[in-house]
Amino acid sequence: MKEVNYNELKKGGFMRQVQKGYFSMRLRVVGGRLSAEQLKKIYEVANKYGRGYVHLTARQGVEIPFIKLEDIEAVKKELSEAGIEPGACGPRVRTITACQGSNICPNGIIDTTELANECDKRYYAQELPHKFKIGITGCGNNCLKAEENDLGIKGAVKPEWEKSSCTFCGLCQAVCPTKAIQIDEKNKEITIDRDKCTYCGRCVKSCPTNSWKGKPGYLLYFGGMFGNNIALGKQILPILFSKEDVHKVIQATLEFYKKYGKQGERFRNTIERVGWDVFKKELEKAIENKRGDFNE
């Protein structure tokens, strides 16, 4: 009897269950988006090869439990007919998660679906010292909890005030969650404390006279992790306005992890061991199109 390579099966999205001979199959669901046809195919496969149900994971994934070892290839073939692939497990870039973003949500600032698909094509399943999670959230409401990911991306707006059209109605000050905006009605001035501003864009969206204008951008967070050990990701770069700069930073982050990370070491622990200052310099080099140490 041929020996079963469980590590390869796990790498390919099939996780061994406690029930002998059965596997829970993780599906690749980019940005939490599945078509109706794909849902129909998942339903068919779960009924035919599983036990008629699926499990929805905390990271927008879908798993089909109770797949028999001898049915794995048939399951993969049938799912592929609907464009569904197994998800990544083990020490590599996992499936990219995202909220619905500006295409659907009134609060959305960035197109999260487009960015998730780009990240999926560029980085998905890259081999790394440990699992690596990328999450994209469209605004400051932070539905995808950017800080909980190894690398989190949050839609943001840098607000600018134009006095000429302002009526000093006070709405911007009222909606600011950090009280960064102060109105001086006597002198007809508005000030914004940049240290308090979280780039949520509420002042821009709420202004009835368009006196507040803003340029959409991206805030990036590094080193978040949840599980046996918990740490929130840190924002160590200013707001980025170029999506290509975002991709440069993501690639530089993965290269840093590949170079400095020890096998089995989470990304946050690698940064802590090597140094946040070293990591930040590598990211800044990448943005400036300079050759970083990891490429030398």
Side-chain angles (χ1 to χ4, degrees):
M1 186 176 181
K2 186 177 179 181
E3 185 177 351
V4 179
N5 189 329
Y6 291 106
N7 287 331
E8 281 300 309
L9 285 172
K10 184 177 180 181
K11 180 179 177 181
F14 288 88
M15 297 167 291
R16 187 161 41 161
Q17 296 182 197
V18 293
Q19 295 86 359
K20 188 176 181 180
Y22 287 98
F23 296 81
S24 186
M25 181 190 186
R26 179 173 295 171
L27 306 182
R28 182 179 180 181
V29 183
V30 183
R33 187 168 182 170
L34 287 166
S35 69
E37 284 301 312
Q38 288 174 324
L39 286 171
K40 183 179 178 182
K41 178 58 69 175
I42 293 169
Y43 158 81
E44 292 172 354
V45 168
N47 272 326
K48 184 176 179 180
Y49 297 101
R51 293 194 177 174
Y53 74 94
V54 300
H55 172 70
L56 303 180
T57 74
R59 298 195 74 250
Q60 301 182 325
V62 176
E63 293 179 6
I64 306 176
F66 289 99
I67 303 296
K68 294 179 181 178
L69 178 62
E70 58 267 29
D71 290 334
I72 285 177
E73 291 306 316
V75 167
K76 288 165 64 176
K77 183 177 183 298
E78 289 197 28
L79 289 171
S80 68
E81 294 171 0
I84 304 168
E85 300 177 5
C89 298
R92 52 194 56 85
V93 177
R94 301 292 183 84
T95 302
I96 314 300
T97 60
C99 69
Q100 297 198 79
S102 59
N103 285 335
I104 300 293
C105 179
N107 296 313
I109 296 170
I110 59 172
D111 187 338
T112 53
T113 299
E114 181 180 69
L115 184 56
N117 287 329
E118 291 176 7
C119 289
D120 176 71
K121 290 176 182 176
R122 296 192 189 203
Y123 318 115
Y124 175 72
Q126 282 194 30
E127 299 287 333
L128 294 168
H130 207 297
K131 62 184 176 183
F132 192 93
K133 299 175 181 179
I134 299 175
I136 306 168
T137 195
C139 69
N141 287 342
N142 206 14
C143 295
L144 255 291
K145 303 175 180 62
E147 294 87 345
E148 292 184 7
N149 291 269
D150 294 280
L151 197 160
I153 303 169
K154 184 187 295 180
V157 170
K158 185 177 182 180
E160 299 291 344
W161 175 64
E162 292 182 1
K163 185 176 182 179
S164 59
S165 57
C166 182
T167 62
F168 298 91
C169 67
L171 188 56
C172 57
Q173 181 175 323
V175 300
C176 180
T178 60
K179 308 301 179 186
I181 295 173
Q182 295 297 319
I183 299 177
D184 184 344
E185 293 185 14
K186 181 179 179 181
N187 296 310
K188 298 299 180 184
E189 290 292 337
I190 293 181
T191 58
I192 180 168
D193 187 335
R194 296 293 179 182
D195 291 331
K196 289 184 178 180
C197 180
T198 59
Y199 303 102
C200 70
R202 291 186 184 180
C203 54
V204 177
K205 284 184 176 288
S206 65
C207 183
T209 61
N210 293 321
S211 295
W212 284 99
K213 301 185 184 304
K215 186 177 181 182
Y218 310 85
L219 296 176
L220 274 63
Y221 300 85
F222 305 91
M225 61 179 181
F226 267 62
N228 292 317
N229 296 294
I230 297 175
L232 292 178
K234 293 184 180 182
Q235 182 198 339
I236 59 175
L237 295 175
I239 184 172
L240 300 177
F241 297 105
S242 163
K243 189 162 58 172
E244 201 49 48
D245 280 346
V246 172
H247 283 302
K248 290 177 185 176
V249 169
I250 296 173
Q251 188 59 49
T253 298
L254 297 178
E255 294 294 339
F256 177 91
Y257 194 21
K258 289 174 185 177
K259 177 178 180 181
Y260 293 108
K262 296 179 180 179
Q263 198 62 35
E265 180 181 56
R266 287 299 301 270
F267 178 56
R268 174 59 172 254
N269 296 331
T270 298
I271 304 175
E272 298 280 3
R273 178 172 53 79
V274 177
W276 284 93
D277 54 339
V278 176
F279 177 51
K280 184 179 179 180
K281 286 177 182 177
E282 298 289 10
L283 301 184
E284 291 171 341
K285 287 178 184 178
I287 295 172
E288 295 166 5
N289 281 319
K290 292 182 178 180
R291 187 182 180 89
D293 290 341
F294 49 76
N295 286 325
E296 292 178 357

